[in-house]
Amino acid sequence: MTGVPASAAGGSSSARRTGPRGTSGAAQEPVGRTNPGSAVERVATDRGTTDRGTTDRGTTDQGTTDRGTTGRGSAERGSTEGGAAGRGGKIAAAAVNQASVWNVANLLTMLRLLLVPAFVALMLGNGGYDPAWRSFAWAAFAIAMITDLFDGHLARTYNLVTDFGKIADPIADKAIMGAALICLSALGDLPWWVTAVILGRELGITVLRFVVIRYGVIPASRGGKLKTLTQGIAVGMYVLALTGPLATLRFWVMAAAVVLTVATGLDYVKQAIVLRRRGIAERRAALKETEA
């Protein structure tokens, strides 16, 4: 049997021994060749890194999108809630305005309106000449006149002015005064011409106020307030069944009321004319400026 050369055997052994250590032999990796395991690991690592980055970016993008969506949703909910709050505020304001009609000043005005038929019934009770019935009628008239002094003051002081009050207050004033004057004239206690002068002036000035309201408001003067007070005292004295010196006194008080009624009526007419002329002049001046 022919033996294997020692050199060959030794080389093989050497190759087998040194191969695993990577120093020499056929098991030694050629220079420049990539280790498949290392390449796979690096690719896997790179892919994992890429996946993680992509995942992170996706998560970030999704978070951003979610936050954006949440922000838009919050904004939309805020807008919706704001709109609902605005509508609710308007409804609440309307409810407050509607409820404000039932304030103290308007209740006093309503009371004065209700006192008008009660006054007429008491004034004409038992033929209209019974001192007791006339005393009750005077009490109703006095309450109506006192509430007239307070309702306007309360409305202006506590900001209780309403459209109802603006309309109902002058109607109540004219109603109670007109009812008293007509009853007194119907019973023969007061001449009809006095009733005609006072009521004609009151109705005429009321209509005049509405005619010139487009140009401005005619303010109540001190003379007008004094006229109202004098009329109330004079009519109240005529409602009572007075005799002797008090009956003579009431005649002069009524005479003063008639004079003040006519004088203040003429003053209101003068103010209305001036207010109308001023308003027309201002409109013409504004029209010229617009055309220029």
Side-chain angles (χ1 to χ4, degrees), residues 175-192:
I176 190 66
M177 183 61 68
L181 291 170
I182 292 174
C183 287
L184 290 172
S185 295
L187 293 172
D189 293 341
L190 188 68
W192 277 104

Side-chain angles (χ1 to χ4, degrees), residues 65-194:
T65 304
D66 292 342
R67 286 194 297 272
T69 305
T70 304
R72 287 194 298 273
S74 301
E76 292 174 356
R77 287 195 298 273
S79 301
T80 305
E81 293 174 357
R87 290 191 296 272
K90 293 180 180 179
I91 295 173
V96 169
N97 291 335
Q98 184 68 22
S100 66
V101 174
W102 301 96
N103 57 53
V104 177
N106 288 343
L107 290 176
L108 292 176
T109 301
M110 295 176 191
L111 174 63
R112 194 158 67 255
L113 287 171
L114 294 175
L115 284 174
V116 174
F119 167 80
V120 173
L122 294 171
M123 187 71 181
L124 301 178
N126 198 18
Y129 298 100
D130 189 333
W133 284 92
R134 296 282 286 260
S135 297
F136 289 125
W138 177 86
F141 180 80
I143 292 174
M145 297 305 295
I146 291 173
T147 56
D148 181 34
L149 297 177
F150 282 102
D151 61 355
H153 175 72
L154 290 173
R156 291 187 297 270
T157 302
Y158 297 100
N159 194 23
L160 301 176
V161 179
T162 61
D163 292 336
F164 172 81
K166 293 177 182 178
I167 297 173
D169 182 68
I171 292 176
D173 298 342
K174 306 300 184 295
I176 190 66
M177 183 61 68
L181 291 170
I182 292 174
C183 287
L184 290 172
S185 295
L187 293 172
D189 293 341
L190 188 68
W192 277 104
W193 69 267
V194 175

